[in-house]
Structures are given as C-alpha cells and as structure tokens.
Amino acid sequence: MKIPPGLDVCSASSSAPLVCKLKKSLYGLRQASRQWFSKLSEALLSRGYISSLNDYSLFTKFSSGSLVVMAVYVDDILLAGDDLAEMQSLTSFLDDQFKIKDLGSVHYFLGLEISKTPQGYVMSQHKYTSDLLAEFKCNHFSAVLTPLDPPVKLTMDMGDPLPDPSLYRRLIGKLNFLQHIRPDISFSVQHLSQFLQKPHVPHMMAGLHVLRYLLAAPSQGVLLSNSPDLSLIAYSDSDWASWAISRKSVTAEYRALRKVTAEVSWLVILLGDLGLHVGSPVPVHCDSQAALHIAKNSVFHERTKHIEIDCHYVRECLNSGLSLYILFLVLTSWLIL
C-alpha cells in the first residue's frame, strides 16, 4: 500500500498517527489486476521463468531437459511439468512471497472439472451443466439429438415478446461459457445470441432446446490425449446466406479461412513455447474454390478490393513457408423437395 499523491502525512502528530481507511476492496480497483500481474511476473522472472509472447498469462522454464509450465488467471494458478523438485521449490517460493494455498493435484479449475484417465486428461463441466439444467427446470424433459430444431427458422419478431428478457440473456450467457468445453453447441449459441436485444418466446424455446440436447450427455467434455501424435487438422466453412432477414452470410468464406489460418498459426507458435514443435504441415480443409483461388493467386486480388488487407493474411502465410497447406474438401449436399 502506498500513500496517495498529494496527501500530507507530515502534519500528523506522533501521538495520533495518520491512518488510511480503504473504502473499496482491492478487487474492485481497475488497476488491481495490472499491479498484481506485474508483481507476480517480477517474482517469476527472477527465478528464470519466461513469459510467453503469445499468451502473457503463460510462464515456462526449461532446465536440464525438464519443463515447468505455469498458467495464471488472476490469482488462480495451474502448475504442471516434469521437474518435481522445481515445482516444489516454486510452490514454496510463491508461498513465501504471496501466501498461496497449495490445493494438490488439479481436479477443479475455473469451473472446469479435470479428471485423469489412461488416455490423458478429460475436461468437462458436469456440475455446471447439471446446475444449469436445474436452474431452468429442464431435468424432467426428454433429451433431443440436435442442439437446434432443424425445421424451426428463427427470425427477429416471431411470436410474442418475452415478459422478462433477462431470463433469456442469462441463459445465453451461461451457454456461452459452456461452449468452451462443448464446441458442438457453438453454432447454436452464436445463432441465439443474435436475438439478445429483443428476445421472443420462440427464441426462448430454442434456448431450452439446447438444454434438452445437453441433457443427453451432461458430462461430455474434451479429451487432452497423451498420444505422442501432434498432428493438427483445421476446417474452415461459413454459413452462406443463411440469415433469413437480409440473406447475408454470417461470415464470408474467405474471412472464415483467414480466421482459421490465424488460429492455426497462433496454436503452432504456442505449442513451440511449450517445447512441442509441429513438424508436418497443418492441413486446412475448405470447401470454397473462390476462397482457395484468392488465397493462392494474387491476380484475383484486383477483383476483391472490398476485402481488407488483413484478410490476405492467408496468402502471406502460404508464401512465407509457414507449416500450412490448404485442401479442398468436397461436401455432398442433398436437396430434399
């Protein structure tokens, strides 16, 4: 704690020392998180740890062929590595500096339930999903097989307005947090998020349909495999002209390709910070011939001046020799009359 600038403490008498009363908790101050991270980074750098330039909350230390990794989220810290002596020494050092509490092996972190299996680690949100189903009273419903009902086409002003729009917004907000572990509901959450301003009854029913989909497998999660195979595969696609009101694409094909290319590039570099080098090129599957031609041939750029310069990032990555190549994935479509 430091005395605020402009406060004269010399006028206080020795018999009655000046005391500062903190009217707001440290967590409520805007600069609190920055000051805490600065102090923590300074302590870790003094022990030889390196802050990743791709994720500033990730710290690594290589020594004698061993690796220790520390991930920081405010005051929640996850420590991993193959050097047990360094991990114990770091834990004692942080306890001396910040009075931390060692919770042992990871089981629960930032709302994620982590369990160890012979195949690796499984991250899930079973408790979070169960609480969400109970909050919206969906436990007695029957489960469904798809996140959204295919025959239902949602529009802005369909049905009656919801008497309490905050209920719908709270549901979508919680589903948004859940999609990190359940990527199978990502499109549904993105679609339902377009009606947050003025939700109607059909929108709420579609949100409850997502909950019924989660009811089928509330403990489903993501497996972090311990397999030595580090091959990556990416897929790029966009929902072409699906918005029923304006018939505009939610994301253009080339923009989607640019985003997945940037994500793959970041992931390859981040794995390099962890000592995992992706040797083989990363295949990116795309089903748009136009996007592929724009990415590979600069001649087409004269016809695409409406695309910002940053969208040509895909071609720059290909020309720079990044471990990346693009495949054309043929998707079969069936028209049912």
Side-chain angles (χ1 to χ4, degrees):
M1 300 295 295
K2 296 182 180 179
I3 299 297
L7 181 61
D8 187 10
V9 297
C10 298
S11 59
S13 61
S14 58
S15 59
L18 188 63
V19 177
C20 296
K21 180 182 178 182
L22 186 64
K23 293 185 177 181
K24 197 171 186 180
S25 65
L26 290 178
Y27 282 98
L29 300 178
R30 292 184 177 180
Q31 67 270 26
S33 58
R34 179 181 300 176
Q35 295 296 330
W36 156 247
F37 185 77
S38 176
K39 188 70 175 180
L40 179 62
S41 300
E42 181 181 350
L44 292 173
L45 293 177
S46 66
R47 289 185 57 89
Y49 282 81
I50 300 176
S51 177
S52 173
L53 298 178
N54 304 287
D55 189 340
Y56 291 107
S57 62
L58 181 67
F59 295 85
T60 57
K61 181 179 181 180
F62 292 90
S63 60
S64 302
S66 300
L67 171 64
V68 176
V69 180
M70 196 176 85
V72 180
Y73 184 83
V74 191
D75 58 351
D76 293 318
I77 299 175
L78 187 63
L79 188 63
D82 52 5
D83 190 346
L84 297 181
E86 170 61 24
M87 294 172 63
Q88 294 175 357
S89 176
L90 177 61
T91 302
S92 302
F93 171 77
L94 294 177
D95 184 54
D96 294 336
Q97 295 288 324
F98 307 106
K99 301 301 179 184
I100 68 170
K101 184 178 181 181
D102 188 1
L103 301 179
S105 300
V106 58
H107 297 289
Y108 196 80
F109 185 73
L110 299 179
L112 306 179
E113 300 174 40
I114 303 175
S115 57
K116 188 176 181 180
T117 65
Q119 293 78 23
Y121 286 91
V122 176
M123 295 193 306
S124 64
Q125 290 180 285
H126 178 75
K127 184 179 183 302
Y128 182 88
T129 306
S130 300
D131 294 341
L132 182 60
L133 294 173
E135 178 181 354
F136 289 89
K137 300 178 175 57
C138 293
N139 289 323
H140 63 282
F141 290 163
S142 59
V144 294
L145 299 178
T146 58
L148 291 177
D149 191 3
V152 177
K153 304 298 180 182
L154 298 177
T155 57
M156 295 295 295
D157 298 322
M158 63 186 306
D160 298 328
L162 281 177
D164 184 11
S166 63
L167 185 66
Y168 178 80
R169 294 164 185 162
R170 186 167 69 251
L171 171 60
I172 301 304
K174 294 191 173 185
L175 290 175
N176 187 48
F177 178 71
L178 184 61
Q179 68 176 340
H180 294 91
I181 295 298
R182 296 295 300 266
D184 49 334
I185 66 171
S186 295
F187 176 79
S188 304
V189 176
Q190 179 270 338
H191 185 52
L192 296 178
S193 298
Q194 302 177 42
F195 309 104
L196 289 175
Q197 185 175 1
K198 297 174 62 177
H200 289 63
V201 173
H203 306 148
M204 188 65 191
M205 298 302 297
L208 296 178
H209 189 92
V210 178
L211 294 181
R212 294 177 59 188
Y213 171 76
L214 297 174
L215 187 62
S219 60
Q220 181 177 332
V222 175
L223 172 65
L224 301 179
S225 176
N226 55 13
S227 172
D229 183 14
L230 297 178
S231 58
L232 299 176
I233 300 177
Y235 296 87
S236 172
D237 194 14
S238 71
D239 202 12
W240 185 76
S242 64
W243 187 231
I245 298 177
S246 62
R247 287 301 176 193
K248 293 182 179 180
S249 300
V250 178
T251 302
E253 292 279 2
Y254 192 54
R255 289 182 179 272
L257 184 60
R258 190 265 179 192
K259 289 183 179 180
V260 74
T261 302
E263 189 74 13
V264 169
S265 303
W266 172 81
L267 188 57
V268 169
I269 299 175
L270 183 63
L271 290 175
D273 292 340
L274 298 175
L276 304 175
H277 300 284
V278 181
S280 59
V282 179
V284 178
H285 297 267
C286 178
D287 64 344
S288 173
Q289 285 283 12
L292 295 178
H293 287 313
I294 294 175
K296 295 180 179 180
N297 193 344
S298 59
V299 176
F300 288 87
H301 292 176
E302 290 296 328
R303 309 175 188 176
T304 56
K305 291 184 178 180
H306 60 287
I307 300 179
E308 290 83 350
I309 296 177
D310 63 342
C311 284
H312 298 312
Y313 175 74
V314 180
R315 190 171 69 91
E316 294 174 0
C317 288
L318 291 173
N319 293 338
S320 63
L322 181 70
S323 297
L324 177 75
Y325 65 90
I326 303 176
L327 301 178
F328 177 69
L329 182 63
V330 179
L331 301 179
T332 304
S333 302
W334 295 89
L335 178 61
I336 302 178
L337 300 179

